[in-house]
Amino acid sequence: MASSRDTNNFIEEIIERDNESGKYAGAVVTRFPPEPNGYLHIGHAKSIALNFGLARKYDGTCHLRFDDTNPETEDPEFVEAIKRDVHWLGYEWGDNLFFASDYFEQLYDYAVKLIGQGLAYVDSSSMEEIRKNRGTVTEPGTDSPYRDRTIEENLKLFGEMRDGVHGDGTHVLRAKMDMGSPNMKLRDPLLYRIKHASHYRTGDEWCIYPMYDFAHPLSDAIENITHSLCTLEFENNRPIYDWLVDAVCESPRPYQYEFARLNLNYTVMSKRKLLRLVEEKFVDGWDDPRMYTIAGLRRRGYTPSSIRSFAERVGVARANSRSDVGLLEYSIRDDLNAIAPRVMAVLRPLRIELTNYDEGKVEWLEAPYFPHDVPKEGSRKVPFSRNILIDRSDFKENPGKKFYRLSPGNEVRLRYGYVIRCTDVIKNDEGDVVELKGTCDLDTRGGDTPDGRRVRGTIQWVSAEHAIPIETRLYDRLFSVENPEEGVEDFTVNLNPDSIEILSGSVAEPSIANDDPGTRYQFEREGYFWQDPEDSSPDKLVFNRIVMLKDSWEKTVKAKPATIKPRAKETVPKEVRTIVDSPATLKMAEDFGLSVELARQLSKDEAKKAIFDAIAEQAGELSAAVANWIVNELPGDVQGIDNPGPFLKMVAMFDSGDISQRIARQIQVEVIESGTDPETVVDREGLAQISDPSTLEAMADDIIARNTEKAELYRSGKKGLIGFFMGQLMQASGGKANPEVARGIIEKKLG
RNA sequence: UGCCCGGUCGUCUAAUGGCAGGACAGCGGCCUUUGGAGCCGUCGGUGGAGGUUCGAAUCCUCCCCGGGCAACCA
């Protein structure tokens, strides 16, 4: 079976079909179209990876286009931030950096053209009137009184709008579509509005600005985009896209495809909610390492490649979904595991004095940067001395059964160091452990036990006199529930109060002083860390925890928190519905010998019922078979059957077993459309059904002989494999085998 | 309540009428100088009811559930 890596998502399927048909002569041009009004987040990263990834995969190009059509919210600061983020993620747009605002003149010309075609008009209604006339989801809208203005008048008014003679909100340009459309987006969508506002790129050159529905499709068309990918909420806008592009664009034209946006559990994703977190100081800015903005992830220490592989792993589909943030964490661990040097740091130090180790003595022990299973070289020396700092959590005065670390009287190995034993516990007046005393087995330098005794625990440590003080910042999920927005008025009530813990008294081994400040480490047994790019300095080293290590110890200790989610509630119909069939339906069933279900389905479908009604008489005894075929096998786009004779004959041939259903399906379009005698088609193509048992037996023998393992599996109980054998046989016979007979033979032979 | 879209292991995603597969998570084991990594195993799914078919996750009907749409935002 194919793995997820080499199966295509639905967009790749579309592209490959288009490449095969030569629709765009093999060209693939995508685009990432952000509006420069905020920072990019991990959801955008999915879209970026999709669009740029597709271009990369199909040897195409991906444009970076700023959709800057609303001067009131946009800012050049965001343009730079977005460019930086896209670039950081590892994608290049080369010369293909565009701005919708560069197309304003061209878009204006398109609008004029549309007016000239009678497809757009200037509406002078107020905002309230427009809103009122739009109707509701259940009621159609009503036409604007300005809808029938002459082309000349529209042209004049639109020109005046551009020239600034009208005030904000006095007129808009609308597409003349359909105020009665059940799709509300199509009720004469607005194309241009007047805004006497300065645009960050075009200044005061314009006082009318195009709306998304107008600018976006036409910008795609201008740039010769082939596949325009957006999120699901734009689905209802697609008809506008098609309408506009068809109106002004020659083929091959771009097409819009929608996919599901990324949602992550334990966080919020929308720009507005992220903005609230920043503005109300729940976090410390857009690049707070707890934020799933690109800037936040970058500062936290995520690598671009980890985000790309995350996007790859979540995939692309059309079903709304909420991905597990654990998958993102897996992605960064997976990435860093292979590249991050291991060093030792102690987050919450506890001193242990090794009373048998000479005071003032220092040994520099060899410590490899990578474990045996990471194929990378390198090592450094770490100092060992009488006073050692270990993590408080690695000592337990009353250890449980499965606690393998240090406890009074017991041994633990100091990684790359010695095996030590705890001899004394020193407490303060409050009874807190403040220091330990112990001994060091001098024969175990490097960690090996010459006598072969087993030491189960190994912990990290730092020599007290050589320790480098650092601050560590431990991040946890920003929200304490999977879906912060669910069931509450204000999502901020679900904020996790412990999403950050700052430890000012941590220490690290001295070797890190010589490293590049951008180094991502694994602090052994703690997690992946790197220096905070904003707050860390040589005087005060500050480390962010990028992600914890997977910890199966935590899990065994902590009583499983209630991860038990309420099981999907049973779906019981609110009321038991009784289907009441109309007398006409029952009569039809009676008259033609149809099952009630079949009659019901047939009467439900007007087009199919009409087809049946027209030929029912002629069908005679065959009427039930014909009705069945029409309901279940006739393609939905068949409008009518002009010449029913051949079609009836085909059904008869299927009914009598002359041809298989598969073959009948195969030839039905030709038979219906051209009225060819089905017998002619069958003879010409040699499609007669094979029902002769000896022929089929020979085929079955052959297939079974070539698939002995599968046959064995079948015999041992994997009955689903019958489908495999049937498929093989149908393929071998060109679809002509009588399936019923064939199945019987296979089942008998596989016994 | 109108229209549109969707519903496959706990999560994400394949299977395009023919073997329900993969990844993450979980569980168990092996290994281990990181309670990491790795390796092996395992648990686990087609929302429901009918219909068509030799055969349905896939096609048809009805029901249930979820999402989107009534900004001069995108």
Side-chain angles (χ1 to χ4, degrees):
Chain A
M1 258 288 145
S3 75
S4 59
R5 252 204 152 40
D6 48 59
T7 61
N8 286 332
N9 62 48
F10 78 99
I11 293 168
E12 292 167 329
E13 292 295 332
I14 291 166
I15 290 176
E16 289 182 13
R17 271 202 297 277
D18 288 345
N19 281 348
E20 254 167 62
S21 73
K23 188 169 176 183
Y24 301 106
V28 174
V29 186
T30 57
R31 99 274 89 111
F32 175 64
E35 185 189 12
N37 70 345
Y39 287 90
L40 261 27
H41 53 64
I42 182 86
H44 295 110
K46 172 178 176 176
S47 176
I48 293 166
L50 211 213
N51 280 293
F52 280 92
L54 251 15
R56 191 173 286 177
K57 174 167 180 178
Y58 293 102
D59 203 20
T61 52
C62 180
H63 299 180
L64 176 60
R65 179 174 72 232
F66 288 92
D67 224 339
D68 51 357
T69 56
N70 186 357
E72 284 167 353
T73 59
E74 293 155 9
D75 192 298
E77 176 201 339
F78 294 122
V79 171
E80 291 314 309
I82 290 168
K83 281 159 72 174
R84 177 181 183 210
D85 287 348
V86 173
H87 208 250
W88 179 77
L89 280 170
Y91 297 105
E92 305 285 342
W93 52 85
D95 297 333
N96 300 305
L97 174 64
F98 301 108
F99 295 84
S101 52
D102 283 346
Y103 306 143
F104 281 169
E105 191 66 45
Q106 212 169 338
L107 292 171
Y108 179 83
D109 290 343
Y110 280 137
V112 169
K113 186 175 167 189
L114 228 44
I115 295 171
Q117 291 173 288
L119 295 174
Y121 64 99
V122 173
D123 191 345
S124 308
S125 307
S126 70
M127 204 190 293
E128 292 73 38
E129 286 165 332
I130 288 177
R131 205 170 291 177
K132 203 174 103 231
N133 288 339
R134 190 138 37 210
T136 68
V137 288
T138 51
E139 296 157 315
T142 50
D143 287 0
S144 160
Y146 304 98
R147 199 172 197 261
D148 294 318
R149 288 219 249 236
T150 62
I151 290 175
E152 293 66 36
E153 198 180 348
N154 280 321
L155 251 16
K156 176 170 164 284
L157 247 16
F158 190 52
E160 290 173 3
M161 283 166 65
R162 177 184 182 161
D163 293 340
V165 320
H166 299 291
D168 287 7
T170 53
H171 307 277
V172 290
L173 186 73
R174 301 180 75 175
K176 197 183 277 190
M177 293 184 77
D178 177 8
M179 289 306 291
S181 172
N183 178 353
M184 295 209 55
K185 286 272 157 98
L186 270 39
R187 323 249 254 230
D188 288 7
L190 273 60
L191 268 24
Y192 268 90
R193 76 285 214 190
I194 301 173
K195 261 187 207 288
H196 290 270
S198 265
H199 187 280
Y200 76 98
R201 293 190 84 241
T202 60
D204 296 321
E205 195 184 339
W206 293 87
C207 60
I208 56 171
Y209 292 93
M211 305 283 293
Y212 168 86
D213 276 323
F214 186 75
H216 189 81
L218 298 180
S219 297
D220 281 350
I222 289 168
E223 292 177 19
N224 292 316
I225 300 298
T226 56
H227 303 266
S228 179
L229 313 178
C230 62
T231 42
L232 252 22
E233 70 268 22
F234 293 104
E235 222 171 332
N236 291 341
N237 303 55
R238 186 178 355 123
I240 307 176
Y241 189 104
D242 291 334
W243 186 89
L244 270 174
V245 171
D246 281 338
V248 304
C249 184
E250 283 147 34
S251 120
R253 46 152 284 195
Y255 282 87
Q256 170 181 311
Y257 304 95
E258 309 87 21
F259 64 95
R261 66 156 9 110
L262 175 71
N263 291 297
L264 274 186
N265 58 9
Y266 298 103
T267 191
V268 294
M269 199 66 89
S270 81
K271 269 187 203 171
R272 273 201 46 230
K273 297 200 177 75
L274 259 17
L275 180 67
R276 253 198 85 191
L277 294 175
V278 173
E279 283 189 336
E280 297 177 29
K281 305 252 189 268
F282 290 113
V283 296
D284 190 23
W286 285 99
D287 65 345
D288 185 300
R290 290 167 293 177
M291 294 273 275
Y292 290 96
T293 50
I294 306 297
L297 290 164
R298 176 170 51 226
R299 181 168 171 190
R300 172 93 167 241
Y302 273 76
T303 58
S305 70
S306 71
I307 294 172
R308 279 185 259 123
S309 62
F310 169 69
E312 180 72 28
R313 278 186 255 255
V314 294
V316 178
R318 281 180 62 86
N320 289 311
S321 57
R322 174 177 302 275
S323 293
D324 191 341
V325 69
L327 190 60
L328 179 64
E329 293 171 348
Y330 170 80
S331 299
I332 183 64
R333 275 192 209 109
D334 188 47
D335 193 8
L336 260 19
N337 176 48
I339 58 172
R342 274 63 170 174
V343 296
M344 293 194 287
V346 173
L347 269 30
R348 300 171 180 84
L350 174 65
R351 201 163 75 114
I352 178 165
E353 183 181 4
L354 301 171
T355 51
N356 66 333
Y357 196 87
D358 292 347
E359 210 138 355
K361 180 179 171 189
V362 177
E363 287 177 277
W364 289 81
L365 304 168
E366 184 81 7
Y369 274 127
F370 298 95
H372 60 93
D373 53 358
V374 172
K376 282 179 80 95
E377 303 287 313
S379 66
R380 81 289 184 190
K381 292 234 186 326
V382 289
F384 190 89
S385 63
R386 182 182 173 101
N387 286 295
I388 295 293
L389 301 173
I390 66 170
D391 197 273
R392 300 198 83 93
S393 66
D394 287 333
F395 172 78
K396 249 184 152 73
E397 201 174 4
N398 303 298
K401 228 190 177 135
K402 288 197 170 161
F403 186 82
Y404 302 141
R405 289 112 84 176
L406 196 63
S407 55
N410 282 324
E411 281 188 327
V412 77
R413 175 167 36 238
L414 298 179
R415 181 139 232 230
Y416 313 125
Y418 289 89
V419 173
I420 61 167
R421 184 183 300 278
C422 172
T423 54
D424 299 281
V425 180
I426 299 168
K427 297 181 181 177
N428 63 12
D429 296 342
E430 278 86 52
D432 304 323
V433 175
V434 292
E435 198 187 326
L436 304 172
K437 288 193 189 299
T439 56
C440 175
D441 181 345
L442 275 346
D443 293 333
T444 60
R445 181 181 154 135
D448 288 320
T449 50
D451 59 1
R453 74 179 186 278
R454 190 167 189 208
V455 179
R456 273 207 82 157
T458 300
I459 62 175
Q460 81 280 16
W461 54 275
V462 171
S463 164
E465 78 177 273
H466 302 89
I468 296 184
I470 61 172
E471 174 178 307
T472 50
R473 297 179 178 175
L474 311 183
Y475 304 107
D476 202 347
R477 295 172 176 176
L478 234 195
F479 292 88
S480 47
V481 298
E482 276 208 46
N483 184 356
E485 290 147 80
E486 192 177 53
V488 289
E489 262 173 51
D490 182 354
F491 67 94
T492 60
V493 304
N494 286 318
L495 251 358
N496 174 10
D498 305 319
S499 60
I500 181 168
E501 184 177 6
I502 297 178
L503 302 175
S504 53
S506 303
V507 293
E509 62 170 75
S511 75
I512 63 159
N514 309 319
D515 295 328
D516 184 309
T519 305
R520 276 176 265 248
Y521 300 98
Q522 185 193 109
F523 287 174
E524 293 216 35
R525 303 207 313 125
E526 291 290 355
Y528 294 97
F529 288 74
W530 86 325
Q531 285 186 47
D532 185 280
E534 297 297 321
D535 295 346
S536 192
S537 69
D539 302 335
K540 187 198 175 200
L541 297 176
V542 176
F543 280 84
N544 290 332
R545 183 171 68 194
I546 305 167
V547 67
M548 276 184 261
L549 252 30
K550 200 169 116 184
D551 188 352
S552 44
W553 163 249
E554 276 303 298
K555 260 176 241 151
T556 60
V557 173
K558 281 186 189 162
K560 292 240 167 73
T563 48
I564 315 115
K565 277 178 291 183
R567 186 68 190 117
K569 42 197 174 254
E570 246 175 271
T571 57
V572 182
K574 291 187 183 81
E575 57 189 273
V576 180
R577 263 172 214 256
T578 332
I579 299 169
V580 180
D581 293 297
S582 72
T585 301
L586 293 171
K587 180 164 191 306
M588 180 162 69
E590 174 80 31
D591 289 353
F592 298 105
L594 315 182
S595 71
V596 176
E597 169 72 19
L598 188 60
R600 191 182 294 146
Q601 290 192 25
L602 192 53
S603 24
K604 171 99 175 52
D605 189 327
E606 259 174 63
K608 289 192 164 181
K609 179 157 191 312
I611 293 171
F612 178 73
D613 285 344
I615 61 177
E617 286 301 321
Q618 272 186 71
E621 287 186 355
L622 223 51
S623 54
V626 168
N628 194 13
W629 190 275
I630 289 174
V631 167
N632 286 300
E633 310 298 345
L634 195 69
D637 55 6
V638 174
Q639 297 302 313
I641 300 174
D642 299 333
N643 178 6
F647 171 70
L648 291 173
K649 185 167 175 185
M650 184 194 80
V651 176
M653 287 169 76
F654 162 59
D655 196 51
S656 67
D658 293 345
I659 54 174
S660 67
Q661 186 201 42
R662 178 184 293 244
I663 296 299
R665 258 199 302 238
Q666 191 179 315
I667 67 172
Q668 67 170 329
V669 173
E670 182 181 351
V671 169
I672 292 165
E673 279 180 5
S674 65
T676 315
D677 184 338
E679 218 169 306
T680 314
V681 183
V682 168
D683 288 347
R684 188 186 68 211
E685 313 277 344
L687 297 174
Q689 178 152 264
I690 303 167
S691 299
D692 170 45
S694 58
T695 312
L696 293 174
E697 266 181 52
M699 286 177 158
D701 283 337
D702 184 46
I703 288 160
I704 291 167
R706 280 186 288 119
N707 295 283
T708 48
E709 7 30 83
K710 287 226 157 78
E712 244 356 275
L713 272 171
Y714 178 93
R715 291 192 182 100
S716 66
K718 198 166 163 60
K719 298 293 180 202
L721 283 168
I722 187 71
F724 166 77
F725 287 105
M726 279 297 289
Q728 292 289 306
L729 196 144
M730 293 309 288
Q731 200 180 354
S733 68
K736 292 180 288 183
N738 179 323
E740 205 168 352
V741 177
R743 192 186 182 100
I745 288 170
I746 292 172
E747 276 172 346
K748 195 165 145 234
K749 286 193 182 294
L750 290 174

